[in-house]
Amino acid sequence: APGSSRVFVVRRDQDIYIQTLRKLFNESHGIFMGLQRSEEELAGKSRKAQLVQVSKNYRSVIRACMEDMHQAAVSTRDPALQGQYSTQVSILSAMELIWNLCEILFVEAAAAGPLLLRLLDWVRLHVCDVDSMVREVLSSENPSKHKLFWNVVDVFVLQGRMDEARHLLSKEATANPTSMNMYKILDDLMKKMPMPTLGNTQTLTELELKWQHWHEECQRFLQDGTFASNPHMESICKILLGDEDAILEKRELMTTWYHFLVTRLLYSHPTVKPMELRFYAQSSMDMFLGGESSPEPLDMILMAAFEFEMHQVIKECSIVLSNWWFVAHLTDLLDHCKLLQSHNLYFGSNMREFLLLEYASGLFSHHSLWQLGVDYFDHCPEYGRVYLELHIERIPLSTEQKALKVLRICEQRQMHEQVRSICKIMAMKALRNNRLGSALSWSIRAKDAAFATLISDRFLKDYCERGCFSDLDLIDNLGPSMLLSDRLTFLGKYREFHRLYGEKRFPEAARLLLTLMTAHIAPCSFWMTLLTDALPLLEQKEIIFSAEQTYELMRCLEDLTAGNVDKQKLQEDDVETTKVEMLRLALARNLARVIVKEGTVEGS
Amino acid sequence: QVSVINTVDTSHEDMIHDAQMDYYGTRLATCSSDRSVKIFDVRNGGQILIADLRGHEGPVWQVAWAHPMYGNILASCSYDRKVIIWKEENGTWEKTYEYTGHDSSVNSVCWAPHDYGLILACGSSDGAISLLSYTGDGQWEVKKISNAHTIGCNAVSWAPAVVPGSLIEQPSGQKPNYVKRFASGGCDNLVKIWKEEDSQWKEEQKLEAHSDWVRDVAWAPSIGLPTSTIASCSQDGRVFIWTCDDASGNSWSPKLLHKFNDVVWHVSWSITANILAVSGGDNKVTLWKESVDGLWACISDVNKGQGGVSAVTEGQQNEQ
C-alpha cells in the first residue's frame, strides 16, 4: 500500500526558538566574549576573583531569565503554554543550582572553612519550598502561637540561621515564662556556636578546638535532661549535636538530600575539606532517600560535582538538557580556570571546543541568533573556521541587507570563497529580477568575469532595443573594475562615448569611437551600431574625422560587410542595405571635405 | 531532542520517493510515483505550493537542487529514462533541459560542487552514469561512463571540492586544479569511486562490503581534515562508513554503523558531517553520531512515517 502523502519536517535544538530564552542567549554571549578577551596575565587571586565574577554573571542571567519565564507563566491563560513555561522555570532553576555548586567547588575552589559557609548560602538560596511557611508564621500576630512555629524555628536551625532562630525563640520565651531557664541555656548555646569565618581571624585548628569544647558543652546539657520537658527544644539540642536521626526526622523541612548533607556537615564536620565531601555526599543521599526512591538525574549531577568529577558533570548535563547552552558555557568557564585536562577527543579537538561547536551550530538555524554563533566559532581554534565557512553559506539571503551583513563577516575573516559565492548568488538573483545594475555590481564584487560579460551584453542589448542605458550612475563610475571583462570595458567606454557626445566634445568622442573598433574592444556584432553612431558626427557642419580617421572608418565598414557571409541576407534586408549605403555616402562626403581642408594652406 | 516541527501535506497521489530541502532550508522539493515534482515554500513552518511540475512519464525517483549561484535549478530523474532540469525564470518554473540518453530508469541525480561549474551526475538501471555539464546558452555537454555497474547504478554522490595542497594559498584569480571525484553505488553490491583524469572518467576504487544491492551512497562534507568519508547503505540492511586516511585516496576501510532489520534506502550527512541520517524500510529515521571511541551511536530516532521512510535529507534549517 502506498505511504501517506505527507512529509515531516523535523528539527533539533528547538529551544532557540523560545522567545523568553532569547535574553539568555544574547546576554550570555556578551559574558562569553568578555571572558575570551579577559586578562590572562592576571595571576592567582585576582584571576580567580575575575572568574568567579564571570560565573556570577552567568548565574544572574539565568535568574533573570527565570524571572521572565515565571512572569510569562503567571500571565498566560493558555494552560499548555503555562505548562511549558513552568517546565522551563524548573529547568532553569536546576541549571542555576548546578552552576552555583560548580562555582563554589570548582571556580572559587573554596577551602575548608569558607566551604561550609558557601554551601550554607547555596542551600538557603535554593531550597525554597519552606519560604511561604516561614513568611506566614513571621507575619502572623502571635508567631509563637502559630501551629507551624516550631517548624520554622527548625528550618532556621537546619539552615544555620542562628540569629533568626534565636529571635523567634525569644518570643516563645516571653510567652512561656516557665521555660525561661531552658530557653536561656539553649539561646546561649546557639549564640556561642563556633562557625568558620571568611577572613583570616582563626585557623582551622583553632576552630576545631573551640568547636570540640562547645560540642561537649551541648552534650552535657542534653544528658543532664535540661531540655527533657520540652521535646521541641530537646530535638533542637540534638540537631546542634549533629544527631543524624534527629536531623532526618525533619526530612520534610529539608526536602532534599543535599540540604541534609549541608546540615550534617554544619553540625558534625564544619571544617570539612573539599575532598572529603564525596563520602558525606554519598552517605547523605543514601540516608535521605532511604531506599524508598531512586536518585534522579539532577541528584546524579550534583553527586558528580561533590565527587569533583567535572567530566561526569558535563556528560550528565549534556544527556539531560535539551540544548547545549549550559554545558558549552560552563565548560568554557572551567577551561579558563585551567581545570579541564585536554582529553583529546576524536571529533572535536577537546571537550570545550566540541561543545561550543555544537552550541554554535544550533544557533545557525535561527534567523537572527546566527550572528552570535559567528563569535563562538571564532573562538574555536581548530574547527571553528571551517564550521563557520560551511554554515555561513547556508544562511538565507532574504534581503540585500542580510547579504551585506553576511558578506562583511566573511570579508573580515578573509573567507574569499564564501564572499565570491555569496556575490554570485546575489548577482544571479538580481539578474532574475531584471535588476541589471544590481547584478552588475554584485558580479564585479564577485570578480566574476563571465557573469559581468553576460550582464554587459544584456545592457547593450537593452540599449539597442530602447536607445538608452539604464543604471547610468553605475556604468559611469565603474573605474578600474571596468577591466574585469572585455565586454564590461566596452560597455564603460561606449557609455563614455555617449557622454562625450552629449557634452559636445566631438573630436574626443570621435577618437574614442574609432578606438573602440580598431582596438577591438567592441565585439563585431556591435560594429554596425557604432558606425551608425558615427553618422551624426560625419554629418556635422564642422569636420570631426580627419582623413586618416575616415579611411579607418571606411576600412571598418568594408571589413564588416565583406565578412558578412550571408550576403544574400544583407541584400534582402532593406534597412541594413540602406544603412550601409548612407554610411558610404557620408564617409565619402566627409573624406572629400577633409581632403580639401587638410590640403588648404592657412591664410592663403 | 528531535521534534517534528512541520508536516507538509503534499497531496501527492502516490508514494513519495524523495524530498529535498534547498540550500537554505526555505524550499522543499518532493517527487512521487504520481509522476509529478512539487515545490513548496516551507518558511516559518508554512507550506505553500509553488510549483507542480509535470513532464515525466513514470515514477520520479529523485530530485536535487543546484547551488543557488546558478539560479533556482532543480534536477529530477525518473523511471521513464529521462532526466529533466527545471529552472525558475521570472517567477515560474519551467523545463530547461531534458536528457534522454539512458536506456532504462534513471535512479539518482546529484549536482557536483559548485566550484566545478554546473555539472549533474546521473545513475541509471542501464548500468551507465552520465555527466551533464552546462556549457552556456542553454547547452549541455554529455559524458557517459558505460557499464559503471553491472545490472544497474542506484546512487551517485560527489566528493567535496578540495584542491590538492589546498592548505597553500592559491593566488587569487587563478583557477585551482580540482581533482573531481564522485562515488556510485550499484546492483553489483559495490560502491565505486570515480576520478577525472585528462577529461576522462576512470574507476579509481572498488569498495566491497555489501552483500546485496547498494541503495544509496553519501560522500561527507569536508571539514578540512585529510580524511575522506563515505556512507553507503544497502538492501542487506547494513550501513557502512568508509574512511580513507591519505590524500591520494588509496586505502578505504569500512566500519559497520549498524545492521538494520530491513532494507536501508537512504543516508544523508549534516552540513558539518558530524551527523548521519539514515532511513529505511523499518519505518524509522535515525540520526547517528561518532563517539569518542570511534563507535557510532544512535542519538535519536524519529518514528513518524506510515509505510517505509524512503528519503532523508539534512539541511541547516531542517531535517526530515
Side-chain angles (χ1 to χ4, degrees):
Chain A
S4 77
S5 65
R6 290 180 300 161
V7 161
F8 295 95
V9 181
V10 151
R11 167 186 278 145
R12 296 169 75 209
D13 298 332
Q14 267 291 73
D15 289 352
I16 54 173
Y17 293 88
I18 300 175
Q19 187 64 25
T20 30
L21 285 180
R22 192 70 60 86
K23 181 191 276 197
L24 185 72
F25 299 126
N26 275 312
E27 300 203 1
S28 59
H29 165 261
I31 301 170
F32 173 84
M33 291 302 280
L35 178 58
Q36 308 310 306
R37 298 188 195 125
S38 68
E39 288 293 304
E40 284 261 5
E41 290 91 58
L42 285 183
K45 277 212 183 111
S46 352
R47 178 65 175 160
K48 186 189 271 200
Q50 200 179 42
L51 292 167
V52 170
Q53 188 56 49
V54 170
S55 180
K56 286 185 163 42
N57 290 342
Y58 274 124
R59 284 198 295 124
S60 76
V61 170
I62 298 176
R63 275 203 300 277
C65 209
M66 244 165 77
E67 249 316 301
D68 289 348
M69 200 67 85
H70 180 74
Q71 283 307 315
V74 159
S75 56
T76 184
R77 270 181 275 174
D78 177 353
L81 263 183
Q82 193 177 60
Q84 217 179 60
Y85 289 139
S86 303
T87 313
Q88 276 300 330
V89 172
S90 15
I91 294 174
L92 287 167
S93 169
M95 292 204 297
E96 216 253 304
L97 176 74
I98 299 166
W99 194 302
N100 199 343
L101 184 61
C102 290
E103 182 183 301
I104 296 168
L105 298 176
F106 307 143
V107 185
E108 196 185 340
L115 176 60
L116 181 70
L117 295 177
R118 291 282 186 249
L119 287 174
L120 275 172
D121 281 335
W122 179 65
V123 162
R124 288 171 194 159
L125 190 60
H126 289 104
V127 179
C128 323
D129 294 11
V130 295
D131 286 357
S132 52
M133 174 178 72
V134 169
R135 266 196 301 273
E136 200 186 300
V137 169
L138 288 179
S139 55
S140 73
E141 273 213 27
N142 222 335
S144 53
K145 291 282 178 266
H146 199 293
K147 65 174 183 326
L148 295 173
F149 171 77
W150 283 107
N151 283 354
V152 177
V153 177
D154 285 338
V155 165
F156 289 150
V157 171
L158 291 166
Q159 290 186 7
R161 288 150 83 171
M162 291 313 186
D163 292 340
E164 289 166 85
R166 287 172 55 213
H167 180 76
L168 260 191
L169 273 177
S170 69
K171 293 201 197 298
E172 151 75 0
T174 8
N176 270 342
T178 44
S179 48
M180 185 57 76
N181 248 355
M182 259 192 290
Y183 158 74
K184 279 215 180 99
I185 295 171
L186 187 58
D187 183 71
D188 193 52
L189 284 177
M190 285 166 80
K191 188 164 92 178
K192 286 197 307 203
M193 175 173 158
M195 287 277 267
T197 55
L198 284 174
N200 283 331
T201 49
Q202 65 177 3
T203 64
L204 276 182
T205 332
E206 277 170 19
L207 173 62
E208 270 167 17
L209 264 171
K210 278 197 221 161
W211 191 83
Q212 202 52 46
H213 278 299
W214 172 85
H215 189 93
E216 279 160 10
E217 202 183 331
C218 295
Q219 189 81 322
R220 262 178 307 191
F221 279 116
L222 183 69
Q223 277 164 359
D224 283 348
T226 321
F227 305 105
S229 59
N230 188 323
H232 291 296
M233 291 210 200
E234 190 172 61
S235 117
I236 288 175
C237 187
K238 284 191 183 161
I239 292 173
L240 291 180
L241 282 168
D243 181 327
E244 279 161 8
D245 293 322
I247 300 174
L248 266 176
E249 246 174 68
K250 312 291 176 185
R251 182 188 247 107
E252 267 95 55
L253 298 176
M254 292 186 290
T255 68
T256 63
W257 63 270
Y258 37 96
H259 186 326
F260 174 54
L261 163 66
V262 176
T263 307
R264 253 180 96 198
L265 292 172
L266 173 63
Y267 293 115
S268 49
H269 310 279
T271 54
V272 65
K273 298 193 183 49
M275 286 306 151
E276 295 169 340
L277 278 177
R278 66 183 63 214
F279 307 116
Y280 296 114
Q282 189 60 60
S283 53
S284 299
M285 185 161 88
D286 293 338
M287 279 192 260
F288 194 89
L289 295 179
E292 275 171 20
S293 42
S294 41
E296 311 218 315
L298 176 60
D299 299 323
M300 299 316 294
I301 293 169
L302 294 172
M303 183 61 72
F306 284 121
E307 291 172 348
F308 282 78
E309 297 282 357
M310 255 170 274
H311 284 270
Q312 188 69 18
V313 173
I314 296 167
K315 181 171 161 195
E316 302 267 346
C317 288
S318 305
I319 295 171
V320 158
L321 293 168
S322 59
N323 73 59
W324 300 99
W325 179 88
F326 182 79
V327 286
H329 289 87
L330 179 62
T331 308
D332 175 62
L333 178 59
L334 294 177
D335 190 68
H336 275 88
C337 297
K338 306 257 189 283
L339 290 171
L340 294 178
Q341 281 121 9
S342 29
H343 284 160
N344 261 340
L345 298 180
Y346 189 65
F347 39 71
S349 73
N350 61 33
M351 179 75 95
R352 169 191 172 272
E353 179 154 324
F354 171 71
L355 294 172
L356 286 174
L357 288 172
E358 289 286 338
Y359 173 64
S361 298
L363 290 174
F364 265 84
S365 39
H366 191 277
H367 64 88
S368 67
L369 288 176
W370 63 269
Q371 293 169 85
L372 304 180
V374 174
D375 287 327
Y376 286 99
F377 280 143
D378 280 344
H379 288 99
C380 292
E382 288 250 1
Y383 295 112
R385 191 188 167 84
V386 63
Y387 266 63
L388 180 59
E389 284 172 2
L390 289 167
H391 278 284
I392 207 150
E393 280 205 286
R394 301 284 183 149
I395 297 170
L397 306 170
S398 41
T399 61
E400 185 130 332
Q401 217 179 17
K402 199 168 185 188
L404 289 170
K405 206 183 261 191
V406 174
L407 265 183
R408 209 177 336 118
I409 290 169
C410 293
E411 280 165 353
Q412 278 168 354
R413 290 157 180 77
Q414 275 104 48
M415 293 181 172
H416 304 299
E417 280 306 314
Q418 282 68 31
V419 169
R420 262 199 292 276
S421 171
I422 290 167
C423 290
K424 281 188 186 176
I425 294 169
M426 294 306 286
M428 179 58 89
K429 245 198 200 164
L431 187 65
R432 267 207 317 274
N433 292 325
N434 255 316
R435 294 182 354 252
L436 293 182
S438 184
L440 185 60
S441 57
W442 281 115
S443 50
I444 288 172
R445 198 160 174 180
K447 298 201 180 51
D448 188 348
F451 214 69
T453 303
L454 200 118
I455 299 171
S456 304
D457 272 336
R458 282 277 286 267
F459 268 115
L460 293 166
K461 193 164 140 245
D462 267 5
Y463 168 76
C464 288
E465 284 169 13
R466 293 187 294 146
C468 63
F469 284 110
S470 56
D471 301 284
L472 282 177
D473 267 345
L474 176 64
I475 305 174
D476 283 343
N477 293 308
L478 281 175
S481 51
M482 203 190 287
L483 299 171
L484 179 64
S485 103
D486 285 344
R487 195 56 48 81
L488 184 59
T489 313
F490 171 61
L491 178 66
K493 291 284 173 204
Y494 188 52
R495 165 62 199 149
E496 202 183 312
F497 163 73
H498 279 272
R499 242 200 7 254
L500 290 171
Y501 188 92
E503 290 168 9
K504 298 207 187 330
R505 289 153 66 182
F506 297 129
E508 284 173 70
R511 253 197 310 270
L512 179 55
L513 186 66
L514 201 48
T515 319
L516 288 179
M517 283 187 284
T518 53
H520 294 284
I521 300 175
C524 289
S525 51
F526 223 76
W527 279 23
M528 202 53 193
T529 314
L530 290 176
L531 287 167
T532 317
D533 283 335
L535 264 176
L537 290 172
L538 291 165
E539 311 272 291
Q540 293 275 342
K541 273 218 183 81
E542 273 178 66
I543 300 169
I544 298 164
F545 287 102
S546 71
E548 202 177 308
Q549 287 176 328
T550 314
Y551 281 125
E552 287 277 3
L553 280 174
M554 289 167 111
R555 197 173 51 76
C556 289
L557 182 58
E558 289 318 309
D559 281 347
L560 192 59
T561 50
N564 212 325
V565 177
D566 212 346
K567 278 240 173 75
Q568 184 138 37
K569 181 160 188 250
L570 190 62
Q571 281 163 3
E572 281 173 4
D573 193 340
D574 280 338
V575 178
E576 284 303 303
T577 333
T578 319
K579 261 199 213 165
V580 172
E581 279 177 20
M582 280 179 68
L583 272 169
R584 288 215 174 97
L585 186 58
L587 285 167
R589 275 215 292 264
N590 192 64
L591 191 57
R593 285 162 54 189
V594 87
I595 288 175
V596 170
K597 176 180 174 211
E598 286 176 4
T600 309
V601 176
E602 289 289 347
S604 68
Chain B
Q1 288 206 29
V2 177
S3 39
V4 176
I5 58 161
N6 194 4
T7 305
V8 178
D9 194 338
T10 61
S11 306
H12 272 300
E13 291 150 17
D14 206 332
M15 266 172 73
I16 298 174
H17 295 292
D18 199 10
Q20 296 286 339
M21 286 286 191
D22 74 347
Y23 212 65
Y24 302 115
T26 49
R27 287 184 172 179
L28 177 69
T30 60
C31 61
S32 157
S33 271
D34 70 2
R35 306 181 202 163
S36 72
V37 172
K38 297 191 188 198
I39 303 179
F40 299 87
D41 179 330
V42 290
R43 279 174 299 182
N44 301 320
Q47 44 167 106
I48 305 168
L49 179 67
I50 298 172
D52 188 341
L53 307 172
R54 308 273 166 169
H56 282 295
E57 287 148 0
V60 187
W61 300 126
Q62 274 192 13
V63 283
W65 291 94
H67 192 278
M69 71 165 62
Y70 297 109
N72 283 345
I73 296 176
L74 185 73
S76 63
C77 62
S78 157
Y79 179 77
D80 69 358
R81 297 172 289 156
K82 291 196 271 195
V83 172
I84 299 181
I85 299 178
W86 314 85
K87 190 169 173 161
E88 188 185 26
E89 208 69 79
N90 298 321
T92 48
W93 282 89
E94 276 153 16
K95 191 191 296 193
T96 180
Y97 180 64
E98 191 176 280
Y99 174 64
T100 48
H102 280 291
D103 304 321
S104 52
S105 171
V106 183
N107 303 318
S108 176
V109 278
C110 183
W111 291 100
H114 67 86
D115 318 66
Y116 302 163
L118 198 56
I119 304 177
L120 184 72
C122 322
S124 164
S125 286
D126 65 6
I129 297 175
S130 303
L131 292 133
L132 315 178
S133 306
Y134 186 64
T135 50
D137 254 341
Q139 301 299 327
W140 294 77
E141 184 189 272
V142 178
K143 277 201 187 129
K144 210 180 200 185
I145 305 171
S146 302
N147 294 317
H149 290 273
T150 47
I151 310 176
C153 171
N154 295 324
V156 281
S157 171
W158 287 86
V162 172
V163 184
S166 61
L167 295 167
I168 309 156
E169 265 294 310
Q170 289 281 346
S172 67
Q174 223 179 45
K175 233 187 161 12
N177 287 326
Y178 289 115
V179 178
K180 300 192 187 108
R181 279 194 178 91
F182 69 87
S184 64
C187 302
D188 50 8
N189 308 350
L190 296 173
V191 172
K192 291 192 181 181
I193 297 178
W194 305 87
K195 179 176 165 181
E196 195 192 39
E197 246 168 57
D198 304 319
S199 305
Q200 298 283 342
W201 284 93
K202 304 212 166 79
E203 182 187 303
E204 191 186 44
Q205 285 288 317
K206 224 190 280 250
L207 307 178
E208 294 183 61
H210 287 292
S211 55
D212 206 335
W213 291 14
V214 177
R215 281 291 170 192
D216 200 10
V217 286
W219 204 309
S222 159
I223 50 167
L225 294 170
T227 53
S228 297
T229 309
I230 297 175
S232 67
C233 66
S234 156
Q235 201 86 24
D236 67 9
R238 292 190 181 83
V239 174
F240 280 103
I241 310 288
W242 303 84
T243 43
C244 175
D245 280 330
D246 65 295
S248 58
N250 282 332
S251 54
W252 289 85
S253 38
K255 192 187 289 179
L256 178 69
L257 177 92
H258 189 67
K259 176 162 185 323
F260 294 83
N261 295 328
D262 205 332
V263 55
V264 184
W265 291 107
H266 283 285
V267 282
S268 167
W269 292 98
S270 64
I271 299 175
T272 44
N274 54 354
I275 303 177
L276 180 70
V278 178
S279 69
D282 61 352
N283 253 3
K284 294 204 250 172
V285 174
T286 43
L287 302 177
W288 298 78
K289 214 169 173 160
E290 196 171 14
S291 66
V292 201
D293 43 11
L295 292 174
W296 286 82
C298 179
I299 58 172
S300 89
D301 61 66
V302 186
N303 201 342
K304 276 281 173 185
Q306 299 143 308
V309 181
S310 67
V312 135
T313 170
E314 290 246 8
Q316 175 164 279
Q317 298 279 17
N318 302 293
E319 299 149 21
Q320 151 212 310

